[in-house]
Amino acid sequence: MREAIIHKDLQVEIIDSLIPEPGPDQVVTKVVVSGSNPKDWKVPEWTSQTLNHGDDIAGIVHKVGANVTEFKPGDRVAAFHEMVTPGGSYAEYALSWAYTTFHIPNNISFEEASTLPLASMTAAVGLYQSSTLSLPPPWSPHPPSFPPTPLIIYGASTAVGAYALQLASLSNVHPIIAVAGRGIPFVRTLLDESKGDKVVDYRSGNVVAELKKALGGEGVRWAFDAVSERGSYGYIGEVMRPPPKLTTVLFTSDYSALPPHIQHSQTSVGSVHKDAQDFGYVFFRYFSRLLADGRLRPHPHEVVPGGLGGVETVVRRGKGGRAGCV
């Protein structure tokens, strides 16, 4: 098979490799579409690891391991490949664990499905698995009479942020204060203004003032930062009230500027391949249900031409900040 290897300088080399063989609890998928994430260019730059860094699989099951009963060859599936391991999604065939693989409903395309695995699970881990936020899961939402629980979602037009916004809404967490930029028209389609949801434009020049205005002068206790750089968590910290709880997504950022009274955690989506396997298993299957009945919308996407030959274009556009809201 052919697969795309990303080097530290983001040059992409397409090589011949053997089709992966599944372990007893694994699935090999013939890739139709691979999603792309910022980590696909950040990890090779940070770690110098020359590897097929794709982790968002969407395709057709090719072969399953001896212990796998939930999937069979020919099934339409999406999957979250275990990061920084062989068998990534920038290839003709990719490898995943059965517990991070899920069926694609008939109403969802491969392109749409490829936007979910890493991004939607990052949102779910940050909102529900993190000991910091621990919001009620979507299948057990706040009752209608529950008092308002303002939640800031910074970077709401990113894939992670948009999925966090949708999941929080399903948990009946409102009002949501969504911070975005050129993706604001898309973000507005996910908000419920009848429940007090608002959008803040970070390009306004004074994000803190705009956040305070959106909060009506009240502080906020819960925040999910899907950007976690360029000062985002600093702005959030200035509008939080005790006991404040903040979860972020980047381990490389310096959070020393956060006030010490803020309870802070860093979301690790890789935990679903470690100590949170049951969490990942449950949520990926729940995503299938939400997609099938329309309660969860896939993120907007753009198909980059060239097959594996387009991978270098994707990672360079990502690094250059030219992939907003898709």
Side-chain angles (χ1 to χ4, degrees), residues 9-312:
D9 62 1
L10 302 188
Q11 286 193 339
V12 173
E13 178 184 8
I14 300 177
I15 65 172
D16 289 312
S17 300
L18 295 174
I19 295 175
E21 280 294 320
D25 300 297
Q26 292 180 313
V27 176
V28 174
T29 298
K30 181 174 176 58
V31 181
V32 177
V33 179
S34 171
S36 178
N37 280 282
K39 60 146 282 294
D40 299 351
W41 63 264
K42 291 180 178 180
V43 170
E45 281 200 341
W46 293 339
T47 67
S48 301
Q49 289 176 305
T50 298
L51 196 69
N52 169 355
H53 285 282
D55 295 319
D56 287 300
I57 303 166
I60 299 169
V61 173
H62 168 69
K63 192 173 183 179
V64 300
N67 296 336
V68 177
T69 59
E70 192 177 355
F71 308 102
K72 65 183 185 303
D75 285 351
R76 299 171 74 247
V77 297
F80 177 30
H81 166 260
E82 185 173 0
M83 295 184 292
V84 200
T85 66
S89 62
Y90 291 141
E92 292 181 277
Y93 295 84
L95 186 67
S96 63
W97 293 96
Y99 55 82
T100 56
T101 304
F102 59 103
H103 290 283
I104 301 174
N106 291 334
N107 59 318
I108 299 297
S109 69
F110 290 116
E111 289 81 3
E112 290 172 321
S114 73
T115 72
L116 272 103
L118 185 148
S120 63
M121 187 53 65
T122 301
V125 169
L127 294 177
Y128 307 114
Q129 177 71 3
S130 162
S131 60
T132 299
L133 295 186
S134 298
L135 298 178
W139 54 81
S140 184
H142 283 318
S145 60
F146 199 82
T149 53
L151 170 70
I152 292 175
I153 297 180
Y154 204 109
S157 66
T158 67
V160 172
Y163 284 127
L165 197 165
Q166 292 188 73
L167 291 171
S169 293
L170 290 171
S171 295
N172 197 27
V173 174
H174 295 284
I176 294 172
I177 310 303
V179 182
R182 63 177 182 261
I184 283 178
F186 161 65
V187 171
R188 288 192 190 280
T189 68
L190 304 178
L191 298 176
D192 187 343
E193 293 184 358
S194 72
K195 296 183 179 179
D197 294 351
K198 295 181 176 68
V199 64
V200 166
D201 190 338
Y202 71 81
R203 302 167 300 178
S204 66
N206 194 332
V207 178
V208 173
E210 292 299 315
L211 284 171
K212 288 180 177 178
K213 179 180 177 181
L215 290 164
E218 299 291 329
V220 63
R221 286 187 54 201
W222 294 276
F224 181 95
D225 186 355
V227 176
S228 306
E229 57 186 357
R230 299 188 295 277
S232 57
Y233 45 87
Y235 300 140
I236 295 171
E238 290 194 41
V239 298
M240 300 197 82
R241 63 177 173 83
K245 298 184 176 184
L246 166 67
T247 190
T248 53
V249 298
L250 283 187
F251 280 84
T252 56
S253 291
D254 178 7
Y255 298 107
S256 60
L258 277 175
H261 68 282
I262 292 180
Q263 184 180 339
H264 169 234
S265 64
Q266 293 164 278
T267 299
S268 174
V269 69
S271 65
V272 300
H273 284 123
K274 297 180 176 68
D275 58 348
Q277 291 180 13
D278 286 353
F279 180 91
Y281 176 92
V282 169
F283 257 94
F284 275 129
R285 279 137 192 84
Y286 190 56
F287 289 153
S288 287
R289 177 176 173 81
L290 295 177
L291 290 167
D293 64 21
R295 285 181 289 165
L296 184 68
R297 289 165 48 185
H299 198 65
H301 65 270
E302 176 185 339
V303 177
V304 175
L308 294 176
V311 172
E312 185 165 334

